[in-house]
Amino acid sequence: MRQTFDDHADPSFGSRHLPLIREQLRKQGLDGFLIPHEDEHQNEYLPDANERLSWATGFTGSAGAAVVMADKAAVFVDGRYTLQVTQQIDPALFEARDLVDGGVPLYIEEQTTSGQVIGYDPRLHSPDALGWLQISAAKSGATLKAVNDNPVDAAWAEARPAQPEAPIHPHPAEFSGEESADKRARVGTAVAQAGADAAVLTAPSSIAWLFNVRGGDVIRSPLPLGQAILNADGTAELFLDPAKITADLPAFLGNQVTLAKPSELEAALAGLKGKRVLIDPAQSSAWYFDALEAAGAQVVRAADPCALPRACKNVVEIKGTQTAHARDGAALTRFLHWLATEAQTTLPDEVEVVSKLEAFREATGLLKDLSFDTIAGAGPNGAVVHYRPTHKTNRRVEPGQLLLVDSGGQYLDGTTDVTRTVAIGEPSAEMKERFTLVLKGHIALAAIRFPAGATGSALDVLARAPLWNRGLDFDHGTGHGVGSYLGVHEGPQRIAKAPNMVALKPGMIVSNEPGYYKTGEYGIRIENLQFVTEASAVDGGERPMLGFRTLTLAPIDRTVIEASLLSVDERAWLNAYHAEVLAVIGPQVEPEVRAWLTDVCAPV
Amino acid sequence: MRQTFDDHADPSFGSRHLPLIREQLRKQGLDGFLIPHEDEHQNEYLPDANERLSWATGFTGSAGAAVVMADKAAVFVDGRYTLQVTQQIDPALFEARDLVDGGVPLYIEEQTTSGQVIGYDPRLHSPDALGWLQISAAKSGATLKAVNDNPVDAAWAEARPAQPEAPIHPHPAEFSGEESADKRARVGTAVAQAGADAAVLTAPSSIAWLFNVRGGDVIRSPLPLGQAILNADGTAELFLDPAKITADLPAFLGNQVTLAKPSELEAALAGLKGKRVLIDPAQSSAWYFDALEAAGAQVVRAADPCALPRACKNVVEIKGTQTAHARDGAALTRFLHWLATEAQTTLPDEVEVVSKLEAFREATGLLKDLSFDTIAGAGPNGAVVHYRPTHKTNRRVEPGQLLLVDSGGQYLDGTTDVTRTVAIGEPSAEMKERFTLVLKGHIALAAIRFPAGATGSALDVLARAPLWNRGLDFDHGTGHGVGSYLGVHEGPQRIAKAPNMVALKPGMIVSNEPGYYKTGEYGIRIENLQFVTEASAVDGGERPMLGFRTLTLAPIDRTVIEASLLSVDERAWLNAYHAEVLAVIGPQVEPEVRAWLTDVCAPV
C-alpha cells in the first residue's frame, strides 16, 4: 500500500515548535520570520526534510505560508484549504488568513512596525515573491533581511529528517521521444535568442525533462532534485548528489554533460562572471540572483526556457500518455464497477475505497507511484476540495450520498489524473441538477474550438457559465498542466480565473475539472485530462482552429445526470465519449465488468 | 448635415509630404522619426491640427503609427484597418505592417542600424509605449532621441490648421449626478491612499468628468482639451485656454478650483518639487514625466485616478443614458422601418442611408453630435470593419445584400452606439447561418451572470464560441466602455481577447458587438450597449452575481435569423428583448411605424 492514512502533523505542532523557532529568532536578533511552503526547489510536493511549514504550524496543505513574530503568528492558505486549516492549526497560536486576498504582503504591512527586522531564507523565495514583500515592509518601515541559517531548520535540529537520496535513472527515448542532446541544442538556441550565454536551471522538472532522467526524491513525482547550467551551445553542467547517480547514468548523459557535486554549484556560478545568464525570477530563488550578481554576471530575467517545450508534448509522449490512460482507465473502470455493484451494499469507508482503487492500479503491474494521494470524500468530506482521508476523518459511505474520488497514477509512459463522482443509492434532485451543471461546463470546455493565441484564462468561463447562471461557482482553478511521467501539476499553461498569458499550444495536456461543493453535504467534480491538438476542419470553416482531445477514459455516472438539462449537442458529446470509453476499455476488462460497462455507456 | 463624405486624405499625401518631413529630419540630424496616431492628449479622435499620421501618410484610421526613415517608411495598423490602409497609402513609399504583431518595436529592431538616431516627440508618447521602443532600439544599437520641434509640424508649417478653441460649458448635476467638489474629494482621497500629494491629470475625459464640464475641441466627443493638477485635499488647478472659458464657468467651478493658462503649466509642474505626484504612465506623455523629474518631484506611477470612478456610472447617469437610449432607439426604429419598407424598392446608396439616419436623430431636437461617423456598409463594404462611406467608395444597396449600419448619438444625458445588420431582399442561407451564430454570441454575453472580479477578457469567449466552433472568428474587440455624454470608446474596462485586468463593476457601460466579415461579400455585426448591475437572485443560487442590463432598444432583423439554430433559452432572450423594444419604442413612434414594429417584434 503506497498511500497512508496517518496525520503527518497535528495542532500540537504549534505549541511544541513555535517556542523553539522564537528562541532562534531571539538568537539571531530577528523580530519575525517568513516560512513559505516552497522549498529550495520551489516544488509543490516536498521531501519530509523540507516540510517546514507543516512542522512549524501543523498545516499540511500543498500551498501556503506562515509568518512568525515574537508575540503573534499567522498561517496563510487559499480557498482550497480554508476548511482544512481550521482543523490543523491551534487557533490560540495562529491567525488563519487568506493567502490570495492581501496575503503575506498585507500582513507584513499591517502587523510590523517601523524598525522591525523580518528574516527570510533567500533559498526559499523567488525574487518575484520577495518584491511584493519588500514593498509591504517598506510601507510600515520594517526591513526584510536575508539570513544564512534558517531559524526553522535550527529549531528542528536533530529531529529533522535527512535529505532524500533516491537513485536517478535514464528515461529512455521510447518514452521521452527526443534525445537530451536535441533538447539541449534547441533550448540552447532559445537561450541565445533571449540574449544570454547560459541559463541556470533550478526546477527539478526542467532537469528531469532536459536530461531525460527521472528520480525519486519527492513522493508522487519522479523528480531528481538538482540544478544545471545550460550553455547556449547545448553543453551543460549538472549538479547532483553523487549518492544518487546510478551506474548507467554518466554514459547515458554523454560527454557534453559534465556531472558535478551540489557543493560545486556556488563556485560554478562565480565562474559565470562577465557572462549574460538567463534565470527565471518566478521560479528560481533569490539566492541564485544574489550569487550571480555577486559573481559579476549579467542577469537576464526570463521564463525558464524548458517550461514551454516541456509543456508541448511530442508525438511519442502523446502516444505514451494515451497508452497510460487506456491502462489506467481499465483499472478505474474495474473500481467504478465495484463501486456500482458490491460497494452499494457493503458501504465501504473512504480508506477502503482508496485501498481498493490502489489495488486495481497496482494490478496493472506498471504503476510506478500514485500521481498524488487519492482524494475519496464521502458525503460532507467531498465538499472539502483538497481532502485526503485519514484514520481520524475516515467516513463510511451512506445511501443517498455522493462519493467524490480524485486520483491518478504515475507510469513510465504517462501521468494520469481523473475525478469521478458517483452516487451511493439514489441521489437527490438537487444533486442531479448540480452534477449536470458541472457536466455542461466540462463538456463546453472539452468541445470548444479556438484560434491560436487563446489562453487558458480566456476559456475558463466556458466551464463556469452554467454554474454562474444559476448563482453558483467553485473556488479552484478549472485546469492545470500535466507532465509526461512528471509532475501532475505542471505549468506554464493553466485554465483559471486568474490571468495567464501563456497561449494553449498543440501537445499541451490540461485537466478539465469543474466542480460544485455544498459545505457539510457533498462535493461534485468531473475531471478528465485532455490535450491540445489541431481541430478537424468544419464545413464552411475559414480559419485553422485548435481543439482538445480527451485522454481520460472512464464512464461518467449517468444516474446523477438530469438528462433533460442537456442540449442536443451536449448529449451527442456524452454519448460519443461513452462510446469511446466502451471501445477502448471494454476489450481490456473481465466479461462481468464489460457487461456493466456496456450498460452504463449506453446513449442517454 | 454633420457627417461629410469627403476624403480627408489621399494616397498622394505621402509623395507630397514625406519629402518635406525628410528635409526636417536632415536639418535636425535625425535618421528617422516616429509618428504615432495619438496626439498631446492621447485621444482617439483628434482635432484636424493634430492629424499628423494622416497628413504624413494618407491613412485616416483611428489607431496606428508610422516610422519615417531617410530611405524607407512604414505604416502600422491593426486588424480593423488592414484592408483600408492598402487603399489609403502609396505602396511605393510605405510598407504596411501589423501594429500588434511585432508592431513598431520590431520594425525599429529590424530596420535601424547601430549608431542611428531616431527622433520622437515626447509629448506624443506615453512612457509605457516608449519603454518597448527603447528596448528595441537598444537591440540594434540605435538610440531614440526626444526632440523639441516636431519635424512633422515643421514640415506641415503654414498649411497646418489652428488648434481648436471651442467653448467649455458646465455639465449640470441633473446629468452628472455628482457635484465636482464631491468627485474631487473622493478622488483626492484615492490619490492620498496611493501615497501621493497630488495627481497630474492629462486625459481630456478625466478633466471633463472631474470638473463636470464639456467642450467641443474634438469632433464627435464633447471633450475639453486641458490639464489639471488635483491635490489630495480636493483643491485643483485647471489649465484651459482662456478663449474657451465661458462666462458662467468660473462661478460653476467654485473657489476650490483655480483656472490657469496652458502656458503656466510648466511652471506649475516645477512647483511640485519635493511632492509625491501621481501620474499615469499609460495615459500621460513622457513630457510630463520628464518635467516632473526635472522639477525634483517624486513620481508615483499609477492609473489615472478618475478612470475607474468615471467608468462606474451613478444612478443619475444610468437613468440619463436609459432616457437617451429610448430616444435614440425611436430614431433608429424609424430608420429601420424606412430600410425595411421604402428602401427595399428605392435601393438607396450608403450616403443616402447615412443622411436618412442622421435626419431621424436630428429630428429628436436633442442631438448634440454623432458619437462617431456612421458606418453604412452595403454588401462588400460591410466587410471593411471600420468603413466610413465617402463619395468615392459609396455603393448602392442591392437585393440579396446585407447592409451593416453602426452609428450613435451624443446627447446631454447619454452617449449611444448601436449596430444593426439588415437584409435587402432575400438573404442567403449562409448569411442567415452566420448572422445567427453572431446573434448566439451576442445573447450569451448579454445573458451571462458572473461573480465580482470577472474581467471583460474572461467573458470575451462567450461571444466568440459559436463562431469558433464553426471555424470562424472576427478581428476586433467584443466590447468597449462608453462614456456618459463623453467618449464612445472609454476605458479602463474592455471585453476582448487581449488580457485586461479591470474587473467589471456595477455601473460600467460596455458594448456587446460580435461580428462576422466575409471579405468581398458582406459584413455582419450586432451591437447593443449594456451596463453592469447586480443580477436578480436565482432559485437555489448561493452567491451574489453581477449581470448586464441592455440599454440599446431597436429590433434585430428576424429575416436574417435561422431560428432552428437557436436554443430555447436563446429564443426566450430574443423574444423578451423584442417585447421590451416594443414596450418602450412603440408608444414613441407613428402608427405606421408602430404597426411595423409590432410585427417585427413578434416572438420567434
Side-chain angles (χ1 to χ4, degrees), chain A residues 433-434 447-451 454 457-462 465 467-475 497 499-501 516-518 538-545, chain B residues 433-434 447-451 454 457-462 465 467-475 497 499-501 516-518 538-545:
Chain A
E433 186 229 2
R434 305 284 149 107
I448 186 70
R449 289 155 182 267
F450 54 91
S457 319
L459 303 187
D460 179 71
V461 65
L462 295 169
L467 289 161
W468 285 0
N469 283 334
R470 301 292 305 156
L472 310 170
D473 200 1
F474 56 93
D475 292 326
K497 285 179 185 173
N500 178 305
M501 303 295 175
Y516 167 76
Y517 308 92
K518 188 157 190 177
V538 186
D539 244 18
E542 295 168 352
R543 304 188 182 201
M545 291 279 162
Chain B
E433 186 231 359
R434 306 283 149 107
I448 186 70
R449 288 156 181 267
F450 54 91
S457 318
L459 303 187
D460 179 70
V461 66
L462 295 169
L467 289 161
W468 284 1
N469 283 335
R470 300 292 306 154
L472 310 170
D473 199 2
F474 55 93
D475 293 325
K497 286 179 184 174
N500 178 305
M501 304 294 174
Y516 168 76
Y517 309 92
K518 188 157 189 176
V538 186
D539 244 18
E542 295 169 352
R543 305 188 181 199
M545 291 280 163

Side-chain angles (χ1 to χ4, degrees), chain B residues 184 211 227-229 231 234-240 245 250 253-261 264:
Chain B
R184 283 183 279 109
F211 296 99
Q227 295 84 15
I229 298 173
N231 300 306
T235 62
E237 204 167 357
L238 178 56
F239 299 86
L240 295 176
I245 297 174
L253 291 171
N255 57 15
Q256 302 241 295
V257 178
T258 310
L259 278 165
K261 294 177 195 156
E264 295 170 305

Side-chain angles (χ1 to χ4, degrees), chain A residues 3-37:
Chain A
Q3 186 160 341
T4 66
F5 304 95
D6 302 316
D7 287 300
H8 306 314
D10 69 74
S12 77
F13 273 31
S15 60
R16 284 154 56 199
H17 302 153
L18 264 190
L20 303 175
I21 296 170
R22 286 184 170 136
E23 189 189 325
Q24 294 297 325
L25 297 188
R26 277 191 297 276
K27 277 191 192 165
Q28 296 200 30
L30 297 171
D31 297 300
F33 189 70
L34 309 178
I35 309 176
H37 175 269

